[in-house]
Amino acid sequence: MKHILRQAALTFVSFAFLYAMLGALSFLMFPDSGSDGQRDFQNAEQTLYMTVPKYVFLGRSVLNSPGEKAILVGASNTGVGFTQKTIQSKLACAKVSNLAVGGANISEAKQIIDLVHEVQSPADRPSNTFVIGVWFGMFVDSDVKYSDPDRNLGETDIDLEKYRYGFYRRTPEGPAALLSASWLDAGVLAIRPILVIEKMAREARAGVNLLLTGRKSAQRNEAEREAAGMSEQDKKKALDYWNEAMGKRNEISLGQVEVLRNTIETLLRSGERVVLIDLPIPAWHRDASPFQRGYEQAFTDVSRQFDGQRNFVSMSMSDLSKEQDYSDEVHAKRHLADVWSDRLANVLNPFVCRTSPEQARVSLRGSDQSKAETHQ
C-alpha cells in the first residue's frame, strides 16, 4: 500500500510539474497582451483563445480599467465592418474594443454587455459607451437561433463558453456562476495549459486541412472577401437561408426588439452611453428580404423612444448598399469597413469626447461624411 501511495504521489507531482511548465511556456508562446482597456477581440484566431466567443468570455477583464471606453457589440458584420485600429486611431479620448460575436442575436449581444459589467464596478460604468450594431438577422428568438443538436435549446455561444471549463454550471434557470468574476483572471491562469493543448490541436488540424484542401480554414481571408462576389444563384440561396434561420415567419421577433429596448434603457439608467447603429446590407438583399420592413420600423421606434436623451444617439449608413462593396449578403469588404469605421469615429468623437455636445446627436446619412442631420 505504501508503494502504491508513493507512486501515486510521484505521479501527481510529475503531472503538476508538467502542467506548470506548460503554463509557463504558454506565456512565452502567447504573452499577456496587457490590460490597457482596449482590445480587438476579432483577432482571436491569433491568440491562445482561438475563437471570438472564448476570447470575449475569458479575456474581458481588460475592460476593467479607468478612462473612457467605446465597446462594440453585435454580430459578425459589426466584427468585420468596424476596424478597431482605424477607429482607435481617430478617437484619442477613449479606448476602443470590438466584442462582436458571429451569429449573435440581440439576446447574446446583451449577454456580452452583462459580461463586461461583471468585471467592472458600478462606479466605472459611466465610462462605457456601448456601440450596438444591429440588422434584421439579429432579431430572431434564441430558441430558433440556437437549436443545434450539440447544445441545449436556446444556449448561445457565450453560454457554451461559460460551461466549457467549469466556470458556470447548468441550472433550469440558466447558467449559474461557480467562479466569481473577480476571480476570472485566476481561473484563466489555471486553465492556460489546457488552452495551449487545445491551440496545438487546432493548429495541427489546420495543417492537415492545408495538406488536403490547400487552405487552413473554410473562413475567407481579407483578400478573398475583397475579391468575392455573388451570383444570382448565390443570392437565392442566401434568401432561402435567412428565411430558414429566422424561423420561416417572414417577420422579426418582437421579443428581441423588447430585449434591445430594455438593454438600452438599463444602460442609460446606469449612466452609460449608447450608440445604436442601423447596419447596411447590399441593396438586393435589403429589397428582397421580407424581414427588412419590420426591422426598419422597429429600429425607428426604438430610436425615437430614446431620442433626446443626452447619452443616446442613433445612426444609419443606409446609403452604403452597393453590391460590389459586400463579400456576401451581409459582410462589408475591407475598403467599405474603412468607410464604416470613419463614420463611426465621426459620431464617437463629439459624443464620447464631448468636443461639441451639439454635434453628438447625429444620424449620418448620405455619401458625404461631412453632412449630418439630427435624427428625428
Side-chain angles (χ1 to χ4, degrees), residues 64-76:
N64 182 24
S65 65
E68 297 292 337
K69 290 175 284 295
I71 304 168
L72 281 65
V73 297
S76 58

Side-chain angles (χ1 to χ4, degrees), residues 35-41 62-72 84-85 87-99 120 127-131 273 348 352-353:
S35 298
D36 60 354
Q38 66 177 14
R39 185 167 293 175
D40 187 359
F41 289 81
V62 69
L63 298 171
N64 182 24
S65 65
E68 297 292 337
K69 290 175 284 295
I71 304 168
L72 281 65
Q84 184 263 348
K85 288 184 178 179
I87 300 171
Q88 186 64 79
S89 68
K90 301 174 183 295
L91 192 67
C93 73
K95 302 296 186 180
V96 180
S97 296
N98 192 335
L99 282 74
Q120 296 177 331
S127 68
N128 295 332
T129 297
F130 279 101
V131 178
R273 292 178 292 271
L348 287 174
V352 177
C353 304

Side-chain angles (χ1 to χ4, degrees), residues 82-295:
F82 293 108
T83 308
Q84 184 263 348
K85 288 184 178 179
T86 300
I87 300 171
Q88 186 64 79
S89 68
K90 301 174 183 295
L91 192 67
C93 73
K95 302 296 186 180
V96 180
S97 296
N98 192 335
L99 282 74
V101 168
N105 65 352
I106 300 298
S107 290
E108 187 169 31
K110 178 186 181 299
Q111 280 186 308
I112 295 169
I113 292 172
D114 291 341
L115 287 178
V116 172
H117 285 163
E118 283 183 4
V119 298
Q120 296 177 331
S121 70
D124 287 337
R125 291 183 185 178
S127 68
N128 295 332
T129 297
F130 279 101
V131 178
I132 307 175
V134 297
W135 73 293
F136 79 71
M138 294 180 66
F139 291 84
V140 53
D141 290 323
S142 294
D143 285 355
V144 175
K145 178 73 176 179
Y146 308 105
S147 56
D148 304 339
D150 60 346
R151 69 176 84 198
N152 288 347
L153 188 66
E155 286 183 347
T156 68
D157 291 343
I158 293 296
D159 286 328
L160 298 185
E161 295 305 329
K162 288 181 175 182
Y163 300 135
R164 192 180 303 277
Y165 302 106
F167 288 17
Y168 282 70
R169 63 182 177 87
R170 283 185 174 90
T171 72
E173 292 75 33
L178 295 175
L179 183 72
S180 168
S182 62
W183 288 88
L184 176 64
D185 287 341
V188 173
L189 179 63
I191 65 171
R192 276 186 77 97
I194 298 174
L195 296 175
V196 170
I197 294 171
E198 290 179 344
K199 178 75 171 180
M200 293 170 62
R202 189 182 183 94
E203 291 297 329
R205 188 163 58 249
V208 172
N209 288 338
L210 182 62
L211 290 174
L212 296 178
T213 66
R215 51 186 304 131
K216 287 186 174 182
S217 169
Q219 299 295 323
R220 290 170 172 167
N221 59 37
E222 198 169 271
E224 290 170 334
R225 287 198 302 270
E226 193 68 24
M230 295 193 75
S231 66
E232 292 303 313
Q233 185 178 8
D234 291 333
K235 294 176 183 178
K236 183 180 183 305
K237 287 181 179 179
L239 291 170
D240 290 342
Y241 168 81
W242 284 107
N243 182 55
E244 183 77 24
M246 298 293 289
K248 299 181 180 179
R249 297 189 306 180
N250 286 345
E251 59 185 20
I252 65 171
S253 165
L254 296 181
Q256 290 295 295
V257 176
E258 194 62 24
V259 172
L260 176 62
R261 196 187 308 272
N262 292 339
T263 299
I264 294 173
E265 187 172 11
T266 300
L267 291 172
L268 295 178
R269 194 185 305 122
S270 65
E272 296 164 273
R273 292 178 292 271
V274 176
V275 178
L276 181 65
I277 308 180
D278 172 20
L279 298 177
I281 56 178
W284 70 262
H285 190 197
R286 178 196 65 204
D287 297 340
S289 172
F291 306 103
Q292 184 67 19
R293 178 176 295 182
Y295 159 73

Side-chain angles (χ1 to χ4, degrees), residues 3-19:
H3 293 294
I4 294 175
L5 292 174
R6 180 173 179 275
Q7 189 61 42
L10 289 174
T11 301
F12 175 80
V13 170
S14 299
F15 175 80
F17 175 76
L18 291 174
Y19 194 83

